[in-house]
Amino acid sequence: MAPPRSRFESLAAMIGICLVLMLIALDQTVVGTALPRVVAELQGFALYPWVASAYLMTNAVTIPIAGRLGDLYGRKPFVLVSIIVFTLASALCGMSQSMLQLVLARALQGLGGGMLAGAAFAAVSDLFPDPMQRVRWQAMLSAAFGIATTVGPALGGWLTEHLGWRSVFYVNLPIGLLAFPVVWRFLPRVVHHQGDRRIDWLGALLLTVAVVTLLVTTEQGERLGFANPLFWGLVVLSLGLGWLFIRHQHRSAAPIIPAHLFDNRTVRQLCALGALTGLVMFVLVFYAPLLLQGGFHLSPKEAGLLVTPLLVSITVGSIINGRLLPKLPHPEKLISWGLIGLAVGAALLATLSHETSHALMAVMFGLCGLSLGFQLPNLTLQIQAAVEKRDTGIASALIQTTRTLGSMVGASVAGLVVNLQYGRTVAAALAAAKVGDAAVHRLFATPQLLVRQQDLDSLAHFGQQLHFDAAALVEQGRLGLVGGIHQAFAGCVLVTLLSFVIARRLPPFVPRGAARGR
């Protein structure tokens, strides 16, 4: 039996985990703010969703595999390797010379991020087996996440304006270099499985194929539209591969995701909530900067400052949640309370206009973030309480995976909605202005025009040559983009209401370790 750890050693180990989480959180927030400028320089708006989707794809595949390997062999080796991979990939992202190179580097970054998420969250349960004690230490993770998310949007905007968009990727390097030695020295290697440590690599392959197919389906859905039979064929194929993976896990002697987890009603409910939460959170975080920069013509720095309350309030909500959870007779209801606030916040965001005061925008984003803070930590805590100790890693990974899969679907559906509305508005404006020039139509093909000064200058030149009002057409393009993002936010309201129905059916949250040892 391992000797008891001192408070200093536990604190130092938690600092290492917090640094790891800061890598993930900081990357997500600074990159979102810089993406419109990235597209403006590297061009290729068609690959705009892939900058996120490539990361999400490899992330979703790696999280459950890393979670299971962590259960079998201990989490420390995978945390260390993931720090190296993530930091190296961040450097490659900053050196990208084309959108394709950036997408490939983001895929490698997602591999490292998936290993981080799959191992780091479950490592907290190794440090603090008692669930109530773990709840209190979760506040430290929330604070670390909050520091990264607080400075992320504003830092991303400032770096993009003053040092160029590449610097937003390089900011991960010093954090990675600091996190590695701390984790190496203080994070214990705890192994829960002492027997058979085989892993189902065929299942891993099936999982990879299923996730990649789902990603292709979501991307093609954006291009083909939901009325195309080919899209629905891809949907059936994705569902079929998912079913095949689950069926194989029931038959496998060493499954990546133990079959009994699929049979646990609470696990299924929490995973569904994880997917829906990931969808809503992705749409808000990913499209808010585009709304502010492309729709309202704000600078990256201004957009970053306005989005900051969304991310800061997630931390505030998580800290309040940690204080309330041990004191409430029915702590599982905290998720429902958060969903009510999120529905109201998303509905308010769907009404944003360039005339809305910045202070009111900040309040709206803050309400959404505060509400998410009542969901994100509880999903992990409740799924850990719903499974045996030997499955803590894979259960924690399941929540992260379903959130990632939900984000992938959110990226595609929101992208389709935004592009359709933008395309309809622009087509009507060009027809009304009787502009038939092919070069002008190509400029308006994507919202890239609205964030790329070179394209705006070209449009102004064409306007002088062909005698049309370029500024009026740009304004119509902005209205189309704003309308599309408003529709995406309205969709988030519907998804949140569905989540509320599921959350109301959750069983009582009874931490297993609070009553007996595991």
Side-chain angles (χ1 to χ4, degrees), residues 201-212:
W201 292 110
L202 176 58
L205 177 62
L206 287 173
L207 175 64
T208 301
V209 173
V211 171
V212 171

Side-chain angles (χ1 to χ4, degrees), residues 258-334:
H260 58 266
L261 293 184
F262 295 114
D263 300 328
N264 188 317
R265 179 171 177 265
T266 303
V267 170
R268 293 197 305 269
Q269 289 175 310
L270 292 168
C271 286
L273 287 172
L276 297 175
T277 299
L279 187 155
V280 173
M281 186 173 176
F282 180 88
V283 173
L284 294 179
V285 173
F286 194 67
Y287 280 94
L290 185 61
L291 172 67
L292 298 175
Q293 293 181 53
F296 300 156
H297 201 205
L298 300 179
S299 69
K301 182 179 179 180
E302 291 173 318
L305 288 172
L306 287 174
V307 175
T308 295
L310 168 64
L311 303 163
V312 173
S313 296
I314 292 177
T315 303
V316 176
S318 298
I319 293 173
I320 296 174
N321 174 83
R323 295 288 185 180
L324 291 176
L325 191 143
K327 301 176 181 179
L328 295 177
H330 298 286
E332 69 279 355
K333 292 184 178 180
L334 285 169

Side-chain angles (χ1 to χ4, degrees), residues 87-436:
T87 306
L88 174 63
S90 297
L92 293 176
C93 287
M95 294 186 288
S96 298
Q97 300 299 313
S98 68
M99 283 292 285
L100 179 59
Q101 290 180 14
L102 179 60
V103 167
L104 294 175
R106 286 284 286 171
L108 180 61
Q109 199 177 36
L111 189 69
M115 293 176 68
L116 283 173
F121 283 97
V124 181
S125 66
D126 294 337
L127 290 169
F128 309 104
D130 177 61
M132 287 297 106
Q133 186 182 18
R134 195 184 311 154
V135 168
R136 293 192 292 270
W137 281 92
Q138 283 280 356
M140 186 173 175
L141 296 183
S142 299
F145 188 88
I147 292 172
T149 52
T150 297
V151 303
L155 178 63
W158 187 90
L159 289 173
T160 302
E161 283 194 13
H162 297 282
L163 300 178
W165 64 266
R166 298 179 189 278
S167 61
V168 304
F169 292 104
Y170 295 143
V171 77
N172 291 327
L173 274 58
I175 299 177
L177 292 174
L178 180 60
F180 188 88
V182 176
V183 171
W184 176 283
R185 172 65 179 84
F186 293 106
L187 185 66
R189 182 179 180 183
V190 180
V191 180
H192 298 292
H193 283 257
Q194 302 298 331
D196 186 2
R197 296 184 182 177
R198 292 178 298 166
I199 190 166
D200 180 16
W201 292 110
L202 176 58
L205 177 62
L206 287 173
L207 175 64
T208 301
V209 173
V211 171
V212 171
T213 304
L214 176 62
L215 176 63
V216 172
T217 301
T218 58
E219 294 296 335
Q220 290 302 309
E222 184 176 342
R223 184 179 67 85
L224 298 173
F226 295 149
N228 194 306
L230 178 58
F231 167 73
W232 290 106
L234 289 170
V235 170
V236 172
L237 178 61
S238 298
L239 294 175
L241 288 170
W243 173 82
L244 184 62
F245 167 72
I246 294 174
R247 185 168 181 265
H248 176 74
Q249 294 301 281
H250 276 86
R251 297 183 173 186
S252 174
I256 294 176
I257 303 177
H260 58 266
L261 293 184
F262 295 114
D263 300 328
N264 188 317
R265 179 171 177 265
T266 303
V267 170
R268 293 197 305 269
Q269 289 175 310
L270 292 168
C271 286
L273 287 172
L276 297 175
T277 299
L279 187 155
V280 173
M281 186 173 176
F282 180 88
V283 173
L284 294 179
V285 173
F286 194 67
Y287 280 94
L290 185 61
L291 172 67
L292 298 175
Q293 293 181 53
F296 300 156
H297 201 205
L298 300 179
S299 69
K301 182 179 179 180
E302 291 173 318
L305 288 172
L306 287 174
V307 175
T308 295
L310 168 64
L311 303 163
V312 173
S313 296
I314 292 177
T315 303
V316 176
S318 298
I319 293 173
I320 296 174
N321 174 83
R323 295 288 185 180
L324 291 176
L325 191 143
K327 301 176 181 179
L328 295 177
H330 298 286
E332 69 279 355
K333 292 184 178 180
L334 285 169
I335 295 179
S336 301
W337 297 353
L339 288 167
I340 293 173
L342 183 59
V344 173
L348 291 173
L349 289 180
T351 67
L352 280 181
S353 72
H354 69 280
E355 297 178 350
T356 306
S357 71
H358 287 185
L360 185 56
M361 288 185 189
V363 170
M364 294 177 184
F365 284 123
L367 175 59
C368 290
L370 187 69
S371 304
L372 285 167
F374 282 85
Q375 298 169 63
L376 300 180
N378 282 331
L379 293 175
T380 300
L381 287 169
Q382 292 194 33
I383 202 168
Q384 288 177 351
V387 301
E388 298 294 337
K389 184 66 177 178
R390 67 178 184 271
D391 295 323
T392 299
I394 186 58
S396 302
L398 263 179
I399 286 295
Q400 307 306 318
T401 300
T402 51
R403 277 179 54 190
T404 302
L405 293 176
S407 298
M408 288 169 53
V409 174
S412 175
V413 174
L416 176 63
V417 170
V418 170
N419 287 338
L420 283 177
Q421 180 62 31
Y422 170 81
R424 283 196 297 262
T425 304
V426 165
L430 290 172
K434 298 180 180 179
V435 178

Side-chain angles (χ1 to χ4, degrees), residues 431-448:
K434 298 180 180 179
V435 178
D437 186 84
V440 175
H441 280 256
R442 282 194 298 271
L443 283 174
F444 276 100
T446 69
Q448 172 182 293

